[in-house]
Amino acid sequence: MENTTDRPMATPMSEEAGGKIRIDKIVDGTVIDHIRAGSALEVLKILGITGKTGNVVSLAMNIRSSRIGKKDIVKVENRFLGSAEVARIALVAPEATINLIKDSKVIKKTRIELPETITGVIKCPNERCVTNKEREPIKTKYQVVSRKPLQLKCLYCWTLVDESDVSTLFTG
Ligand SMILES: [Zn+2]
């Protein structure tokens, strides 16, 4: 469907034909596309981008998308994502695609996938959970019980975590 391995970055950002959204193209960096509308700022937070970090960042919000209705897009120059960042983004933007840009070309496009179980990405809100023990805490493990809206269940104490709380519980 979206086979864009070498699509030049001059392509309009909108999915509509003749889309008029224009964002400066980047030479090297990352484009995170198909972010659920309204979640772009959470994605920036995950990336530690405050606006004072020096990276060139472009943000587009509430763009029409044939796939997910409305979407946000984040483009960050000279920034590439680690697996821990991708795991977090999967929780706030489970339909996102990550485009790796080198020399103004998309060299890799990855569709984020939210796994069935999530290990070590978010803390358990239950203070008495074994994963919150001060000594030798166990890595958290959640089962995805619902994807839309997102709901997770701690596999140690069965505490449920709702979508709205996920981004407040990221492990440090
Ligand atoms: Zn727990």
Side-chain angles (χ1 to χ4, degrees):
M1 183 184 76
E2 290 186 28
N3 181 21
T4 51
T5 332
D6 54 6
R7 179 202 277 179
M9 282 312 295
T11 307
M13 291 295 290
S14 169
E15 288 189 344
E16 288 178 286
K20 291 190 177 61
I21 294 104
R22 287 199 50 141
I23 299 184
D24 277 350
K25 56 184 175 181
I26 54 179
V27 178
D28 294 300
T30 305
V31 176
I32 307 165
D33 197 357
H34 298 105
I35 299 167
R36 275 183 191 174
S39 297
L41 296 177
E42 283 183 80
V43 170
L44 290 183
K45 216 164 128 192
I46 288 168
L47 300 179
I49 291 168
T50 58
K52 294 176 181 168
T53 41
N55 304 67
V56 174
V57 180
S58 310
L59 191 63
M61 297 175 98
N62 296 314
I63 293 176
R64 207 168 298 160
S65 160
S66 53
R67 199 175 99 204
I68 62 169
K70 276 182 171 185
K71 66 175 184 179
D72 294 351
I73 302 170
V74 168
K75 300 175 90 172
V76 193
E77 207 165 81
N78 297 319
R79 184 76 153 71
F80 305 97
L81 307 188
S83 55
E85 290 169 323
V86 174
R88 290 176 180 202
I89 291 171
L91 288 168
V92 302
E95 295 95 354
T97 41
I98 296 177
N99 301 275
L100 190 62
I101 317 293
K102 282 259 165 95
D103 297 325
S104 303
K105 286 189 172 161
V106 180
I107 60 159
K108 196 177 170 207
K109 185 167 190 141
T110 319
R111 178 121 170 225
I112 281 188
E113 279 186 57
L114 188 63
E116 292 294 316
T117 54
I118 292 156
T119 306
V121 182
I122 56 171
K123 294 177 277 197
C124 181
N126 172 13
E127 279 174 30
R128 302 171 74 171
C129 179
V130 66
T131 62
N132 283 321
K133 265 186 17 177
E134 258 177 53
R135 290 169 160 228
E136 305 166 50
I138 293 172
K139 256 192 182 179
T140 59
K141 202 168 191 179
Y142 285 92
Q143 187 194 342
V144 177
V145 282
S146 160
R147 285 170 183 262
K148 216 168 185 179
L150 183 67
Q151 191 176 50
L152 309 173
K153 183 172 78 181
C154 174
L155 288 174
Y156 292 101
C157 70
W158 292 30
T159 295
L160 293 171
V161 173
D162 291 328
E163 187 170 294
S164 53
D165 295 323
V166 163
S167 61
T168 66
L169 292 168
F170 285 128
T171 51

